[in-house]
Structure formats: C-alpha cells, structure tokens
Amino acid sequence: MHKGTARAYTNIALIKYWGKKDDALILPMNNSLSLTLDAFFTDTTVTFDEQYTKDVFYLDTVLQDEKATAKVSRFLDLVREKMDRPLFATVESINHVPTAAGLASSASGLAALALACNEALRLNLSKTEVSRLARRGSGSACRSIFGGFVEWEQGTDDLSSFARPIEADRFEDELAMVFILLNDKQKDVSSRDGMKRTVDTSAFYPAWVNTAGEDLTLIKQAIAEKSFTKLGEVTEANALKMHATTLAATPPFTYWSPESLRAMEVVKSLRKDGLECYFTMDAGPNVKVLCKKQDRQQIIARLTQEFSAEQIICALTGPDAHSIET
Ligand SMILES: O=C(O)C[C@@](O)(CF)CCOP(=O)(O)OP(=O)(O)O
C-alpha cells in the first residue's frame, strides 16, 4: 500500500487562461498569471494498493459517480505510466471551500492530487514536474502548486508548459481578494466547454489572445513597481475582455448574472468613493474583488450593505501546495 496526503490552495487568475492550443495535453494559447489564496484549499489523500480492482473517488466523503471518477482515473493513468507495477487507487478529497459557494475547486483539487501521488509513490518529482503533472488534470491546477503570484508559461509541448512563482518582494502580502458569492440557479457552461466553444467559434477570440500577451507584460510591470492601481486596472480589463469573447461565440453565452452586473457596479462605485478596488470573474457568476489588505475591512463593510454577510468571504495570499500528515 502506498499512501500520500497533500494540501493545495485555490488560485484566481489576474491574466486569464482562456483557450487551449492542444486539448489533449492542455497547452494554453497564452501565458496566464494568478494569485494563490489562503481561504480555499483542498486536502487530498491517495492510496494505491495491490488489493484494489478499480479506482474509487470520494469528494467531501461522498462516493462519486462514474463520470467524476473517470476524470480522476484519466489523471491517475498518467501517474500509473510512471509505475513499474500499475496499481488502482482510492482518492479522498476534502474541499475546504464553502459548499454553497459553487467555487471551482478543481484547481486546488487536481493540484493536491498530483502532489499526493508524488508523496504516495515517492516519485521525487520537483515542483515544476508536479506542476506539469497537475496541468494534465486541469490547466489552472498547475498554478496552485505555488503560492503568491504565479505565472503559467504556456510552453510549446508537455515538457515546456508549467507554472513558476513570480518574485514580487512580498507585494502579494499587501493584497486581499474579497469574494462575492452569487449562487445562481442557471447551469453554467463548464470552463472546459466554455473555452472550447469560444476558441472554435468566437470572432472576438483572436483579439483576446493578442491583448492577453500585452496585459501580461503590463501586470508584471505593475508587480515589479508594486503599483496596485496598475495591477487592478489590468486585472479588471483582462477579465472583461475574456468574458466579451463568450458573447461572440456560437451559440453565445455569458457567465454573468444580473447579480454579477450589480456587484461589478458596486465595485465601481466603491472606487468612485475613494475605496480603490477592482473586480475579476471566472467561469461562473461570482465576483472577486481585488483590494489592498489594509482596506479589506472597509470594503467588506460596504459590500455587506449590498449583499448578505455569508456571501462575502475575504482571502489573503496563500502558500505553496504541501504534503500533510494525516
Ligand atoms: O483560471 C483561469 O485562468 C481562468 C478560468 O478559471 C476561467 F475563467 C479558466 C479555468 O480553466 P480550467 O478549469 O483550468 O480548464 P481546464 O484546463 O479545461 O480544466
């Protein structure tokens, strides 16, 4: 029996990954850059055992169905390629994410699974190699191997596509991200399906790829200069451009709900009142507010006038993924 447990944290992209150059290897069209956060993380235990006759997957102690287990098995097959004697495994993931949140925890989940496999099988993979492995599970997961600011180098093949931490002289410690959780009934298009439809059909998509490269340069300058204004402006603009591509897809779609739009307007009015903050959004209706750590209490106070307290969750920057003793 080979057992390992690891913890990995959620990351939110400031420069988005939105579109694959290679679906099978999960190679992106552009580099992305994210901030790893401390408030949401996944603990994953993987146990490989000669006795097991199939892969089994528990998420938050609930036995998962065929489809969810198949996704984990596809990932485990990558690990089994590295084993002299391939074994089946039991995977147990606990998401420390508010369940009502509907927050995508696939990034922290797959990152934790990759690191847990490295521990269980004593593969002695470097963090870069674990990031590369996690990428094969879910693109954004490769960024959750590292804490703070992280850049995913798009690369040109499996070997050259992985994430690396960005040295920022602890600028990340001056920041906070306040989540506005807007649970909408509508079934969102998954990020995987959404980006595929966009790449395949959206007239706006080529412009997105071009400007994403420029935005990355600008945001790295902002980090180097510790300019929060520049960081926020580029982050907000990049998210708006990414979401604009979905409107020109066939069939068109958007992740924005009426409440998302209201939340974005609230962020703009906070800025007008001198409380500097910027929003970003991913493949769902939730709105994430990037602000200075020192302003977070004032911003939370204003947001709880507009939304209920349980909809507001504050995160600070988070650490590298790491193994944990169970
Ligand atoms: O995180 C970002 O850069 C932006 C997004 O969150 C969406 F806004 C994309 C996440 O995509 P992911 O779930 O990693 O897709 P996969 O590779 O098909 O599994």
Side-chain angles (χ1 to χ4, degrees), residues 39-41 60 95-105 179 181 183 286 310-313:
F40 312 112
F41 54 88
D60 297 332
N95 280 331
H96 297 268
V97 166
T99 33
L103 271 176
S105 51
F179 285 66
L181 303 180
N183 301 326
N286 296 332
E310 62 270 12
Q311 287 180 276
I312 306 296
I313 298 186

Side-chain angles (χ1 to χ4, degrees), residues 11-20 23 26-28 30-34 71 104 106-107 110 134-143 152 190-196 208 238-239 242-243 255 280-284 288:
N11 72 81
I12 295 296
L14 307 182
I15 304 296
K16 301 296 183 189
Y17 150 54
W18 189 244
K20 298 179 178 70
D23 287 355
I26 306 192
L27 301 180
N30 58 275
N31 282 29
S32 57
L33 186 144
S34 60
K71 186 172 177 182
S106 74
L110 270 302
R135 190 204 80 241
R136 297 292 301 276
S138 177
S140 55
C142 78
R143 303 185 308 232
W152 172 8
S190 74
S191 45
R192 186 161 296 187
D193 295 343
M195 65 173 81
K196 175 129 190 67
W208 153 257
N238 184 262
M242 173 221 139
H243 284 274
Y255 290 110
T280 188
M281 288 185 68
D282 294 296
K288 293 106 179 183

Side-chain angles (χ1 to χ4, degrees), residues 265-277 302:
E265 288 309 312
V266 168
V267 169
K268 286 184 207 161
S269 69
L270 287 181
R271 236 179 5 238
K272 222 172 37 255
D273 297 349
L275 258 181
E276 195 178 8
C277 56
R302 288 288 298 277

Side-chain angles (χ1 to χ4, degrees), residues 18-20 29-30 195 198-199 202-210 245:
W18 189 244
K20 298 179 178 70
M29 287 281 197
N30 58 275
M195 65 173 81
T198 305
V199 170
S202 174
F204 296 172
Y205 188 73
W208 153 257
V209 178
N210 295 336
T245 63

Side-chain angles (χ1 to χ4, degrees), residues 71-214:
K71 186 172 177 182
V72 168
S73 285
R74 274 196 301 277
F75 178 81
L76 292 172
D77 287 343
L78 296 166
V79 176
R80 281 188 270 260
E81 284 168 15
K82 301 172 186 291
M83 297 167 71
D84 303 336
R85 283 185 50 232
L87 299 174
F88 288 109
T90 293
V91 174
E92 298 156 292
S93 266
I94 303 289
N95 280 331
H96 297 268
V97 166
T99 33
L103 271 176
S105 51
S106 74
S108 55
L110 270 302
L113 178 55
L115 191 54
C117 289
N118 189 38
E119 300 296 318
L121 301 172
R122 291 178 173 48
L123 299 173
N124 296 319
L125 298 177
S126 68
K127 289 199 172 189
T128 296
E129 289 166 324
V130 175
S131 174
R132 188 183 294 131
L133 179 62
R135 190 204 80 241
R136 297 292 301 276
S138 177
S140 55
C142 78
R143 303 185 308 232
S144 278
I145 299 302
F146 301 100
F149 286 111
V150 182
E151 179 179 3
W152 172 8
E153 172 54 55
Q154 65 182 82
T156 53
D157 55 18
D158 179 39
L159 213 55
S160 57
S161 187
F162 50 80
R164 58 171 169 253
I166 300 275
E167 174 46 47
D169 188 28
R170 306 310 307 170
F171 179 42
E172 62 268 29
D173 293 344
E174 299 172 28
L175 305 174
M177 190 167 280
V178 181
F179 285 66
I180 308 175
L181 303 180
L182 305 165
N183 301 326
D184 288 70
K185 303 298 156 274
Q186 89 219 25
K187 171 90 191 70
D188 285 332
V189 176
S190 74
S191 45
R192 186 161 296 187
D193 295 343
M195 65 173 81
K196 175 129 190 67
R197 189 191 309 176
T198 305
V199 170
D200 291 348
T201 67
S202 174
F204 296 172
Y205 188 73
W208 153 257
V209 178
N210 295 336
T211 65
E214 292 157 26

Side-chain angles (χ1 to χ4, degrees), residues 53-74:
T53 56
K54 60 176 178 154
D55 292 328
V56 170
F57 175 34
Y58 292 92
L59 178 59
D60 297 332
T61 73
V62 175
L63 180 64
Q64 297 298 295
D65 64 14
E66 199 75 4
K67 188 164 172 276
T69 307
K71 186 172 177 182
V72 168
S73 285
R74 274 196 301 277

Side-chain angles (χ1 to χ4, degrees), residues 213-224:
E214 292 157 26
D215 289 350
L216 185 81
T217 303
L218 290 171
I219 211 158
K220 288 166 89 169
Q221 284 167 1
I223 292 169

